[in-house]
């Protein structure tokens, strides 16, 4: 497992959460203001794996299958963002982290100006 210190030393910051393409322009603006490259990785295991993982969580985690199915559906057919999808269905947490870091290091998930949810006239488009 890679430590927080190693990530900091490599200049990598990871935001882990539900960040759909409809939010990415906010991250892009911040990165551009700081002249930083921005990579975007969407972990999308198949729906069955997603349901199995989510419904087995404890504590305050979302475990209700219906909202989980809905969220999964929101991350399908993502247009230009499909290139940022990593199918983690058969990967362990460690293998997923390793794959992400390798892909980011190789530039595989780097966002480009054309990868936007806002078209050139400033209106939102759906992914």
């Amino acid at each position: 497992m890679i430590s927080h210190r190693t990530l900091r030393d490599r200049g990598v910051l990871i935001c882990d959460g539900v960040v759909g393409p409809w939010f990415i322009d906010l991250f892009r603006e911040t990165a551009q203001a700081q002249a930083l490259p921005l990579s975007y990785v969407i972990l999308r295991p198949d729906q069955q794996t997603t349901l199995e993982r989510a419904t087995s969580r404890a504590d305050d985690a979302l475990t209700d299958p219906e909202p989980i199915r809905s969220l999964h559906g929101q991350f399908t057919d993502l247009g230009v963002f499909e290139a940022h999808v990593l199918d983690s269905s058969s990967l362990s947490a460690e293998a997923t982290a390793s794959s992400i870091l390798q892909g980011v290091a190789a530039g595989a998930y780097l966002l480009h100006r054309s990868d936007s949810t806002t078209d050139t006239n400033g209106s939102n488009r759906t992914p």
Side-chain angles (χ1 to χ4, degrees):
M1 196 69 146
I2 296 176
S3 72
H4 291 283
R5 180 177 180 186
T6 302
L7 292 174
R8 186 192 67 223
D9 292 346
R10 290 184 185 177
V12 176
L13 172 65
I14 298 175
C15 177
D16 179 16
V18 180
V19 181
W22 46 93
F23 287 124
I24 205 62
D25 286 340
L26 299 171
F27 287 87
R28 183 192 319 272
E29 290 168 12
T30 301
Q32 286 177 346
Q34 300 296 317
L36 297 171
L38 180 63
S39 294
Y40 181 47
V41 183
I42 301 164
L43 300 181
R44 190 178 65 200
D46 61 58
Q47 188 176 57
Q48 184 60 36
T49 302
T50 300
L51 287 168
E52 288 170 5
R53 290 176 181 171
T55 57
S56 66
R57 294 181 184 137
D59 301 322
D60 294 334
L62 175 63
T63 58
D64 184 355
E66 287 312 308
I68 294 164
R69 281 188 190 94
S70 176
L71 275 171
H72 190 274
Q74 292 174 46
F75 284 88
T76 59
D77 299 323
L78 296 175
V80 297
F81 294 105
E82 283 295 324
H84 299 269
V85 171
L86 173 61
D87 181 352
S88 60
S89 299
S90 62
L91 300 176
S92 67
E94 293 79 12
T96 299
S98 178
S99 183
I100 291 168
L101 290 175
Q102 289 174 10
V104 168
Y109 299 113
L110 194 62
L111 280 173
H112 304 284
R113 289 186 185 267
S114 60
D115 300 338
S116 178
T117 59
T118 305
D119 61 24
T120 54
N121 68 11
S123 62
N124 286 335
R125 23 176 222 195
T126 54

